[in-house]
Amino acid sequence: MSETNSAAETAAPHRYTAAMAADIEARWQDFWDAEGTYEAPNPTGDLAGDPELAARPKKFIMDMFPYPSGAGLHVGHPLGYIATDVYARHQRMTGHNVLHTLGFDAFGLPAEQYAVQTGTHPRVSTEANMENMKVQLRRLGLGHDNRRSFATIDAEYYKWTQWIFLQIFNSWYDSEADRARPIAELVEQFENGTRATADGREWGALSAAERADLLSEYRLAYASDAPVNWSPGLGTVLANEEVTADGRSERGNFPVFKAKLRQWNMRITAYADRLLNDLDGLDWPEAIKLQQRNWIGRSEGARVEFPVDTAGGITVFTTRQDTLFGATYMVLAPEHDMVERIIPAAWPEGTHPVWTGGHASPAEAVTAYRKQAAAKSDVERQAEAKDKTGVFTGAYATNPVSGEKVPVFIADYVLMGYGTGAIMAVPAHDARDFAFARAFELPMRCVVQPSDDRGTDPATWDDAFSSYDAKLVNSANDEISLDGLGVVEAKARITEWLKEHGVGEGTVNFRLRDWLFSRQRYWGEPFPIVYDEDGIAHPLPESMLPLELPEVEDYSPRTFDPEDATAQPETPLSRNADWVNVTLDLGDGAGPRKYRRETNTMPNWAGSCWYELRYLDPNNDRQLVDPSIEQYWMGPREGQPTGGVDLYVGGAEHAVLHLLYARFWSKVLHDLGHISSAEPFHKLYNQGMIQAFVYRDSRGIAVPAAEVEERDGAFYHAGEKVSRVLGKMGKSLKNAVTPDEICAEYGADTLRLYEMAMGPLDVSRPWDTRAVVGQYRLLQRLWRNVVDEATGEVTVVDTEPDEDTLRALHKAIDGVGQDMAGMRFNTAIAKVTELNNHLTKAGGPLSRSVAERLVLLIAPLAPHIAEELWRRLGHADSVVHQDFPVADPAYVVDETVTCVVQIKGKVRARLEISPTITDEELEALALADEAVVAALGGAGIRKVIVRAPKLVNIVPA
């Protein structure tokens, strides 16, 4: 300690310092825990409490689930947590029963990878990380109801994750009722004959395996052999949403390939329309809604059947059914199921050599091409490659409107992930089809009249022509003509014709694919599914839940060369034979039988799909959530037609993945009557990011930001000049600042104030440790306005404040209250600072009534110092549940405001007038003003524009 600091502390032993802040903060955190200050009572059940508090209007405020990282928190992580805490505290003070808590999303890949590297069990490292984060979060003074906290790895929690999976497994989507229904109701329809089986046989005539296969076509959770995203480098399959735009794994950045594997899926596509339509009623950022709409990808068009002589027909979805007469060939995705059924034994006579790929038979050509396509990611397949690749299947289909035979190809630019995995190719009017047709010397027909001078012979064109404004040409048969029609009318006409002839119909298609729900991982929720000796899946009865993860010695999935597209997954659980092979009595009348457990685990998204519900009733071991408790906190109400959490704060990076999945689960649970809310999160708010400068040396390697010196506008590390760019904050970039460092130097209240004062909450902003001291000084001045630094005595007096102080106080109360409600915390702090500065400049002791309201204003933002000052002001109860101050309107309005009077855009007078003046009164005053009269010089007036109370604009004649 320097002599100067030592002398200052001797002279002011009761000054607000980092040491005093640490003492105050620790004491009040202990007090809050001991008193249960932040416990929000449920209306009933084991967490019921003060009925008076429970009778208040409720607010359910949530942060997005944190993952307990081994690196702990840096100052960027708590931005959203502090913001929700400030908002929650303000809501408590404005008369609400506030539920605010925080758990941990603790299953997933990072802990498993750490276990593989170190030999530490994932549970051990994860629980240690959680304890560290709890200490860090507690130090920030977050007002969480800790009775409601949990982790997704708790067996008591994932018992209900497994239970929800079984509800989804045992459900189907009734499109007529537009909701999910129990699978037992579907079975009853098959049994009584009100619903026909796929092949027309009676239900009783089907074998057990046939029944299971039939029901699997309906179940909302089902296993199927289907093309999946396979990442050999990770040793697991991935959902579409976990694959980046350049065709690599979101985690690890490994190549991702298409492979056909048997995996669990969620039939989220059944809810596509509802997921789309219900966005309208949500209070979410428009950018997030747009991302969800684009991902769901609704498009209107037609399904058209192209008959194939030997194998029924190929169904395509098209949004340009008006161009059917121009379809001169077809393309299937290489993985399409129809490929095997249509391949002939030999090439048809006269097959163009370019179409065969140099292979002796269609089977050889298809096999070779499929292998080639499997080695590419979806992104690579969709890229605008100069050379189009593909191969003829040897089969022809019939264009249903022209009657022409069209060759059927497979090509990697067509994906199973969109539409039907098959396209009708109209090369004259589609760029990719045009390039393919040129490469394979296929015919082209113009059916949309070009608007330029290229003519109607595509053989002479350099590229395809596409337009929604042009007229149709060359589009007629003996029964229908589209010639001369616009696109919209032509679409309607041909769609009607297709339906009449039984070869197609108008339909809606979605980009959204079913959700791949299997992971070849250890550290995840086990599926509550077993397979009998015939391979039929059986759900475990509820009495056998939770199915806990077994202890294993080897946690690692089998990984492969990242580029090896032919590798096959091997799950860690499959190596535990004693756990996999079991004899169970499932209570279905079959008695004890031998079964094999599912050895995949659920994806990390499973636990975060429903955690908002567990917060409501965290100790319930009898049901998912008590209906009355769920209705109280999340049920539909005025302004929230589908119910949900009142405020959900988190990063915009979860726009699709987590939010879409959670919405789907909520809708299923709602349909089945388990919850009243059809949407999980009514209001969504995306906070910005705290950024930090990254310093790199000449090699491009990041150097510790704390060791960089600035000299003459340049930056140096160990004497070497380094570059500086603004980027993310993180341990790997050596620019992370921990909240512990800031709390130690200034206190948690200072950190809270700085993070909230840096700028608007939804905007990213750069961290600057040097600027933190500004908020520290605000708290020191606030402290000095109430406490004598020399004696520690409270200095307030029981006298009435002067009018200037009352006006400053009530303006601050009015502004801060509005800013708090609108989550404009930076401007709220500015108003508190302005008030505090006014009080400091006024001098003399504060009036008690002013001091108390000043403390209440700062309480949501800096709760520790507010509690301390509130107690020192003589109050025995906590500041947390005090009423937020209410402004007196008489003091909020300025006594006078300045009105500017302009003539021809030039200011000619300034009038001091009442802020409540009417337009008519203000116009009369302005026109009577001497300076205005002189400036007009007797000229007439054409118009007077009045914007009371600030502006009058006079336009002379």
Side-chain angles (χ1 to χ4, degrees):
M1 180 185 297
S2 70
E3 290 184 14
T4 303
N5 287 340
S6 178
E9 291 193 11
T10 301
H14 297 279
R15 174 171 295 170
Y16 183 81
T17 62
M20 179 183 282
D23 172 66
I24 290 172
E25 289 164 4
R27 281 192 289 106
W28 283 110
Q29 287 160 16
D30 289 343
F31 173 86
W32 294 329
D33 285 349
E35 296 295 315
T37 301
Y38 303 109
E39 293 178 359
N42 281 342
T44 59
D46 65 316
L47 297 187
D50 181 358
E52 199 172 302
L53 183 53
R56 293 181 175 185
K58 62 87 189 179
K59 281 288 180 183
F60 185 7
I61 298 165
M62 269 181 62
D63 303 278
M64 287 190 182
F65 237 178
Y67 189 87
S69 164
L73 299 176
H74 60 62
V75 292
H77 291 124
L79 177 66
Y81 306 152
I82 294 171
T84 53
D85 185 63
V86 173
Y87 182 76
R89 289 175 182 277
H90 179 254
Q91 290 297 305
R92 286 190 193 94
M93 296 177 76
T94 52
H96 295 86
N97 182 23
V98 176
L99 193 166
H100 189 212
T101 191
L102 194 70
F104 294 93
D105 188 12
F107 274 127
L109 195 56
E112 187 175 278
Q113 289 179 322
Y114 184 76
V116 172
Q117 292 164 9
T118 65
T120 307
H121 193 286
R123 181 175 294 280
V124 172
S125 60
T126 300
E127 289 181 346
N129 295 342
M130 284 193 290
E131 288 308 309
N132 180 48
M133 283 184 67
K134 286 177 183 177
V135 170
Q136 289 185 297
L137 292 168
R138 184 179 188 269
R139 193 171 184 180
L140 297 174
L142 302 177
H144 293 149
D145 184 346
N146 291 321
R147 303 171 304 164
R148 300 174 183 266
S149 185
F150 56 81
T152 54
I153 59 175
D154 299 338
E156 298 80 9
Y157 179 80
Y158 70 73
K159 164 188 176 178
W160 295 104
T161 308
Q162 293 171 335
W163 181 87
I164 295 172
F165 173 83
L166 292 179
Q167 304 310 301
I168 300 172
F169 174 77
N170 284 319
S171 303
W172 63 292
Y173 199 84
D174 184 345
S175 55
E176 293 182 5
D178 203 20
R179 67 178 180 88
R181 294 172 61 184
I183 202 75
E185 295 180 13
L186 180 65
V187 172
E188 184 180 348
Q189 291 181 16
F190 283 129
E191 286 178 335
N192 63 28
T194 56
R195 182 180 293 269
T197 62
D199 60 6
R201 287 185 292 162
E202 292 186 1
W203 178 257
L206 303 181
S207 67
E210 288 172 328
R211 291 179 183 180
D213 287 344
L214 178 57
L215 293 180
S216 185
E217 296 295 321
Y218 291 85
R219 292 187 189 273
L220 288 178
Y222 65 95
S224 69
D225 293 312
V228 295
N229 301 306
W230 164 235
S231 174
L234 283 176
T236 190
V237 299
L238 303 169
N240 288 341
E241 296 86 348
E242 294 172 302
V243 181
T244 64
D246 57 354
R248 302 178 77 86
S249 62
E250 186 179 49
R251 186 174 293 279
N253 197 36
F254 290 108
V256 175
F257 305 99
K258 283 295 180 188
K260 203 164 191 178
L261 301 169
R262 189 161 187 82
Q263 304 288 317
W264 281 97
N265 298 273
M266 292 276 180
R267 207 180 299 275
I268 191 172
T269 49
Y271 282 83
D273 266 324
R274 284 172 60 184
L275 288 168
L276 198 60
N277 296 336
D278 286 355
L279 284 170
D280 293 338
L282 300 181
D283 186 3
W284 285 17
E286 282 304 317
I288 301 295
K289 288 185 178 183
L290 180 62
Q291 287 184 66
Q292 291 237 333
R293 290 189 180 106
N294 289 342
W295 192 264
I296 295 166
R298 187 181 192 276
S299 54
E300 295 186 10
R303 287 187 182 271
V304 184
E305 192 85 5
F306 280 70
V308 179
D309 293 341
T310 57
I314 298 172
T315 303
V316 302
F317 170 80
T318 177
T319 59
R320 290 300 304 267
Q321 61 268 39
D322 55 303
T323 64
L324 253 170
F325 283 93
T328 56
Y329 66 97
M330 300 188 73
V331 184
L332 305 182
E335 307 87 356
H336 201 291
D337 288 339
M338 282 291 289
V339 175
E340 286 89 351
R341 301 212 296 270
I342 65 174
I343 296 175
W347 294 116
E349 186 176 345
T351 296
H352 196 311
V354 176
W355 297 2
T356 67
H359 294 280
S361 70
E364 289 179 23
V366 167
T367 300
Y369 188 78
R370 279 180 156 177
K371 185 175 181 180
Q372 174 186 327
K376 294 183 181 180
S377 69
D378 279 2
V379 173
E380 289 172 324
R381 289 172 56 170
Q382 288 281 282
E384 293 294 334
K386 184 176 181 180
D387 297 322
K388 292 295 177 187
T389 65
V391 71
F392 180 39
T393 63
Y396 286 85
T398 301
N399 184 322
V401 295
S402 69
E404 295 175 349
K405 294 288 186 181
V406 295
V408 181
F409 285 74
I410 60 171
D412 59 13
Y413 76 91
V414 177
L415 304 177
M416 283 303 298
Y418 181 77
T420 64
I423 67 163
M424 61 174 211
V426 184
H429 308 294
D430 179 273
R432 290 183 307 167
D433 294 346
F434 185 93
F436 190 90
R438 278 285 164 88
F440 288 88
E441 301 178 21
L442 288 157
M444 290 188 260
R445 178 180 297 112
C446 174
V447 293
V448 178
Q449 180 68 51
S451 55
D452 50 27
D453 59 0
R454 68 175 67 196
T456 57
D457 181 5
T460 64
W461 296 357
D462 294 325
D463 54 16
F465 171 80
S466 180
S467 173
Y468 274 85
D469 298 326
K471 302 293 184 181
L472 274 294
V473 295
N474 301 323
S475 298
N477 60 27
D478 292 341
E479 300 177 1
I480 184 172
S481 174
L482 306 181
D483 291 344
L485 299 180
V487 171
V488 174
E489 189 178 354
K491 279 186 176 184
R493 185 81 61 85
I494 194 64
T495 301
E496 184 180 349
W497 187 90
L498 291 169
K499 187 173 182 180
E500 288 175 358
H501 288 73
V503 291
E505 62 179 346
T507 189
V508 173
N509 194 60
F510 294 92
R511 177 178 181 266
L512 181 68
R513 299 293 91 193
D514 281 346
W515 173 16
L516 180 68
F517 201 69
S518 292
R519 297 295 182 274
Q520 291 67 49
R521 290 286 172 187
Y522 167 72
W523 195 232
E525 298 92 338
F527 282 93
I529 294 289
V530 291
Y531 299 91
D532 63 24
E533 292 172 330
D534 295 322
I536 298 172
H538 297 265
L540 291 181
E542 188 176 332
S543 61
M544 291 186 181
L545 302 181
L547 172 60
E548 297 193 38
L549 268 179
E551 294 295 322
V552 299
E553 293 182 3
D554 183 5
Y555 320 110
S556 44
R558 186 179 176 195
T559 57
F560 305 86
D561 178 341
E563 304 289 344
D564 184 3
T566 64
Q568 294 286 305
E570 178 186 288
T571 61
L573 291 179
S574 66
R575 299 192 285 265
N576 191 335
D578 292 341
W579 184 83
V580 173
N581 301 304
V582 290
T583 299
L584 301 172
D585 184 347
L586 300 182
D588 55 3
R593 295 178 61 189
K594 290 182 178 180
Y595 295 98
R596 175 178 53 83
R597 295 195 191 278
E598 173 62 70
T599 60
N600 286 306
T601 53
M602 299 186 198
N604 61 298
W605 309 107
S608 60
C609 275
W610 72 282
Y611 71 120
E612 71 283 355
L613 298 172
R614 192 63 175 174
Y615 283 154
L616 308 181
D617 198 9
N619 305 318
N620 198 332
D621 60 359
R622 302 175 312 282
Q623 58 191 144
L624 180 73
V625 60
D626 182 295
S628 64
I629 294 173
E630 188 272 337
Q631 174 70 46
Y632 172 83
W633 288 111
M634 290 184 62
R637 62 203 66 220
E638 187 176 353
Q640 299 182 15
T642 50
V645 173
D646 296 291
L647 176 66
Y648 192 39
V649 175
E653 65 271 17
H654 297 291
V656 173
L657 292 162
H658 158 61
L659 292 173
L660 198 63
Y661 297 157
R663 295 181 64 214
F664 167 55
W665 277 36
S666 284
K667 291 186 184 303
V668 177
L669 291 170
H670 174 264
D671 286 356
L672 298 176
H674 299 300
I675 59 176
S676 64
S677 48
E679 285 283 344
F681 314 115
H682 172 70
K683 179 177 177 64
L684 176 69
Y685 190 99
N686 297 130
Q687 86 274 14
M689 182 186 297
I690 289 184
Q691 299 171 305
F693 286 111
V694 183
Y695 299 89
R696 298 185 184 276
D697 61 21
S698 57
R699 302 167 298 166
I701 305 297
V703 301
E707 300 173 9
V708 172
E709 297 178 354
E710 182 178 358
R711 298 199 300 268
D712 301 324
F715 304 94
Y716 297 86
H717 177 259
E720 180 191 351
K721 193 172 183 180
V722 294
S723 65
R724 184 181 81 162
V725 294
L726 191 61
K728 293 179 70 173
M729 181 179 286
K731 188 176 180 181
S732 64
L733 296 173
K734 299 181 182 178
N735 63 353
V737 179
T738 70
D740 303 17
E741 297 171 52
I742 304 302
C743 288
E745 190 167 356
Y746 299 105
D749 280 341
T750 295
L751 173 63
R752 290 169 60 102
L753 279 173
Y754 177 64
E755 294 218 0
M756 294 300 95
M758 291 171 74
L761 183 60
D762 58 350
V763 175
S764 293
R765 72 293 303 270
W767 176 268
D768 183 359
T769 299
R770 295 170 299 181
V772 177
V773 71
Q775 300 308 317
Y776 180 56
R777 288 173 181 152
L778 165 62
L779 294 180
Q780 288 184 314
R781 288 193 295 270
L782 174 71
W783 180 266
R784 276 197 300 272
N785 276 332
V786 180
V787 177
D788 188 301
E789 290 184 335
T791 66
E793 296 297 318
V794 171
T795 59
V796 301
V797 293
D798 293 318
T799 58
E800 286 301 309
D802 60 56
E803 187 161 330
D804 281 349
T805 296
L806 282 173
R807 198 167 295 283
L809 172 67
H810 286 280
K811 279 187 175 182
I813 290 171
D814 180 61
V816 172
Q818 292 185 49
D819 287 345
M820 290 279 193
M823 300 181 73
R824 297 183 297 272
F825 305 127
N826 59 319
T827 53
I829 292 170
K831 291 178 175 70
V832 171
T833 304
E834 185 179 355
L835 172 62
N836 195 56
N837 289 343
H838 171 90
L839 299 175
T840 301
K841 290 175 184 176
L846 291 189
S847 162
R848 175 176 293 278
S849 65
V850 173
E852 288 182 344
R853 282 179 280 188
L854 174 63
V855 169
L856 293 172
L857 282 181
I858 199 79
L861 293 154
H864 306 93
I865 194 172
E867 282 281 26
E868 183 71 14
L869 291 174
W870 189 248
R871 181 62 57 93
R872 290 185 181 226
L873 285 166
H875 300 281
D877 48 354
S878 169
V879 76
V880 170
H881 291 285
Q882 300 305 309
D883 290 338
F884 198 77
V886 178
D888 183 338
Y891 290 108
V892 172
V893 178
D894 288 326
E895 287 184 292
T896 63
V897 295
T898 301
C899 174
V900 172
V901 183
Q902 295 179 335
I903 300 175
K904 290 185 177 180
K906 291 185 178 181
V907 176
R908 296 299 186 179
R910 286 183 170 85
L911 310 176
E912 294 299 317
I913 47 104
S914 166
T916 59
I917 195 170
T918 65
D919 284 358
E920 292 77 12
E921 292 170 336
L922 182 54
E923 180 177 342
L925 276 176
L927 293 176
D929 184 82
E930 290 182 7
V932 172
V933 171
L936 284 171
I941 296 172
R942 184 157 58 90
K943 183 190 293 186
V944 179
I945 301 167
V946 182
R947 297 287 183 266
K950 295 292 184 69
L951 176 69
V952 177
N953 194 4
I954 300 170
V955 182

